[in-house]
Amino acid sequence: MKKVVLAYSGGLDTSCIIPWLKERGFETIAFVADVGQGDDFSAVKKKALKSGAEKVYCLNLQEEFIKEYVFPALKAGALYQGKYVLACALSRPLIAKHQVLIAKKEKAQGLVHGCTGKGNDQVRFETTFRLMAPEMEIIAPVRIWEFKTREEEIEYAKAKNIPVKVTKKSPYSIDTNVYGKAIECGILEDPWAEPPEEVFTLSKNPLTAPNKPEYVEIEFAKGIPTKINGISYKPVTLITKLNEIGGKHGVGRVDMIENRLVGIKSREVYENPAGTILHAALSELEALVLDRETMQYKARASHKYAELTYNGLWETPLKKQLDAQFDQIHLRTSGTVRVKLFKGNCLVVGRKSKLSRYKKAMATYSAGDKFDQSKAEGFNALWAMPFKE
Ligand code: ARG
């Protein structure tokens, strides 16, 4: 029998994949990645074995996820279509990387994922597979198997002694990790329908959020958030804390039509309290400390970085070169930003840094003005000159 490693979630699809592969001559090692989805991992492991896996790996990847994926994307200012913090997209190359490492250690011949043929995730997994382990076979059962409906899959699962939850299935397809949550399908497939309140679990409805604003101070060191209200936190705890604080005020809800890599448009709803706060705060700090040309250049690079991440091109030369640029740019972005959270809004109301480029003497309209207005006439004349004739 050939050995393969499967990215296993404990859901119906990836559970059915295990006996399905066995029928085709593959023994499966299940790999469960803990990226903060909050599942009961000992139950997930048991289910993998019950479904027929030879062995199960479960790795806590949360810290690596925040430090090596979420923070670089934050430093890059990467927001797909200007809105999506890429929480799901960032987790895929990480999961795929560890899957390949396990496959190599286990001398497996193949890599298996449970993605459909319509989504972005298949591309993110497979690009990492193909770059890190070009010799390995890739199998995507959900794209090719015989089951047409969920009911058929459940029948198959029962026949194979896979425990099937009798609870009514949620109409939504949900992906959660420690950074944020993505929700699609069900009524959300109607772009005109407002997302029902039930899809939101990380953020309160702004209507019932506190009637008093909350001020939060976030300290950054070279573009990395390190403290909340003066207290240092480790990366995962910092994100979890900001998700709680922001969520309490209904911050971080996103509703958008998204251009998928495979060419279709889809309606996506996200909850990202921490990501929303951090992107808003860091970009304001940048405005304080970066020169104008760097800021303008960075905005273009951010756009590209978001596309590369969304499109599964994380492990590529350009993305790595951009990381090096952002590291350089962020040598200056140390300082503190004060945000005000209120009824779904996150407003930056204060920023300070030892490396601030803001010079009060140049900006002021009051006493102490050092700006030499006599130079302005010549400046104005030359500025318009090329267009005048
Ligand atoms: N559209 C988002 C993305 O491509 C979220 C995908 C969520 N995946 C899921 N299985 N619900 O990153």
Side-chain angles (χ1 to χ4, degrees):
M1 266 187 144
K2 281 208 235 171
K3 216 194 277 183
V4 293
V5 178
L6 160 71
Y8 182 73
S9 70
L12 181 64
D13 286 345
T14 52
S15 295
C16 286
I17 284 176
I18 300 173
W20 189 89
L21 284 172
K22 193 165 276 173
E23 286 166 1
R24 284 154 185 82
F26 297 97
E27 70 171 26
T28 301
I29 294 170
F31 165 46
V32 184
D34 172 3
V35 286
Q37 63 271 50
D39 289 341
D40 173 353
F41 291 107
S42 76
V44 173
K45 273 157 83 177
K46 268 194 208 126
K47 189 167 174 187
L49 295 172
K50 192 103 206 301
S51 305
E54 297 297 320
K55 200 172 179 180
V56 194
Y57 279 81
C58 182
L59 300 181
N60 183 337
L61 305 179
Q62 292 186 43
E63 184 171 334
E64 186 178 359
F65 177 50
I66 300 299
K67 276 164 93 170
E68 310 295 334
Y69 294 75
V70 169
F71 284 170
L74 173 67
K75 284 165 74 173
L79 293 172
Y80 188 66
Q81 290 179 208
K83 291 171 102 172
Y84 170 35
V85 303
L86 296 156
C88 171
L90 286 163
S91 72
R92 299 317 192 215
L94 167 70
I95 297 169
K97 178 180 90 180
H98 284 277
Q99 191 179 347
V100 170
L101 294 176
I102 291 169
K104 290 194 170 170
K105 187 172 141 206
E106 290 284 344
K107 300 201 169 29
Q109 290 89 24
L111 297 157
V112 188
H113 65 73
C115 307
T116 74
K118 293 177 73 168
N120 301 313
D121 288 338
Q122 55 174 342
V123 185
R124 297 167 183 155
F125 271 103
E126 289 191 30
T127 306
T128 303
F129 292 166
R130 284 168 208 276
L131 294 180
M132 281 185 73
E135 71 287 359
M136 286 194 205
E137 187 178 345
I138 295 172
I139 311 171
V142 176
R143 291 199 302 233
I144 51 175
W145 66 18
E146 58 278 25
F147 313 121
K148 296 274 175 291
T149 62
R150 197 178 148 76
E151 287 63 40
E152 285 177 31
E153 247 184 273
I154 290 173
E155 277 308 299
Y156 178 78
K158 283 185 176 152
K160 297 289 170 187
N161 280 323
I162 296 170
V164 178
K165 278 208 209 101
V166 282
T167 52
K168 209 171 123 244
K169 182 178 161 19
S170 139
Y172 308 108
S173 165
I174 294 169
D175 184 82
T176 314
N177 61 46
V178 62
Y179 192 36
K181 177 176 163 189
I183 313 121
E184 49 194 328
C185 303
I187 182 73
L188 301 175
E189 287 180 357
D190 174 0
W192 181 249
E194 182 174 352
E197 199 48 39
E198 62 178 8
V199 307
F200 300 107
T201 53
L202 304 181
S203 62
K204 273 210 109 172
N205 186 338
L207 268 179
T208 57
N211 289 321
K212 254 180 63 187
E214 180 168 350
Y215 291 86
V216 182
E217 288 187 11
I218 298 155
E219 191 172 324
F220 292 89
K222 296 184 176 161
I224 303 284
T226 53
K227 292 185 186 173
I228 304 171
N229 294 330
I231 301 167
S232 297
Y233 292 100
K234 289 198 176 128
V236 174
T237 321
L238 183 132
I239 294 294
T240 310
K241 258 210 115 70
L242 275 183
N243 267 333
E244 276 166 28
I245 302 172
K248 189 168 87 190
H249 291 276
V251 168
R253 294 182 172 191
V254 171
D255 176 355
M256 64 191 285
I257 298 293
E258 191 169 290
N259 294 312
R260 277 203 198 156
L261 177 50
V262 292
I264 55 180
K265 285 190 185 287
S266 67
R267 198 310 177 68
E268 305 279 337
V269 173
Y270 299 105
E271 282 185 293
N272 299 286
T276 302
I277 296 169
L278 289 173
H279 273 274
L282 183 57
S283 80
E284 262 315 296
L285 182 59
E286 289 170 9
L288 188 70
V289 301
L290 298 182
D291 64 279
R292 176 178 65 191
E293 294 304 317
T294 302
M295 277 181 71
Q296 289 176 352
Y297 172 78
K298 182 174 182 284
R300 276 176 255 153
S302 297
H303 189 83
K304 189 69 206 171
Y305 197 99
E307 273 175 9
L308 293 171
T309 305
Y310 188 86
N311 293 340
L313 298 175
W314 184 260
E315 302 287 349
T316 57
L318 178 57
K319 188 254 152 199
K320 288 174 194 169
Q321 288 153 26
L322 289 173
D323 276 329
Q325 280 197 354
F326 290 123
D327 285 347
Q328 182 75 27
I329 288 171
H330 281 288
L331 291 176
R332 292 190 63 84
T333 47
S334 299
T336 305
V337 179
R338 188 153 49 104
V339 299
K340 179 179 176 178
L341 311 177
F342 184 58
K343 300 269 183 204
N345 288 304
C346 169
L347 295 174
V348 173
V349 294
R351 64 294 268 160
K352 63 179 179 188
S353 167
K354 288 201 179 93
L355 295 170
S356 171
R357 289 187 188 275
Y358 176 83
K359 298 288 176 280
K360 179 127 190 266
M362 297 303 274
T364 188
Y365 286 95
S366 308
D369 186 1
K370 294 254 169 60
F371 189 94
D372 181 356
Q373 298 209 26
S374 70
K375 294 204 170 85
E377 189 181 339
F379 175 81
N380 275 282
L382 290 181
W383 184 251
M385 185 189 66
F387 310 104
K388 224 172 69 186
E389 302 303 325

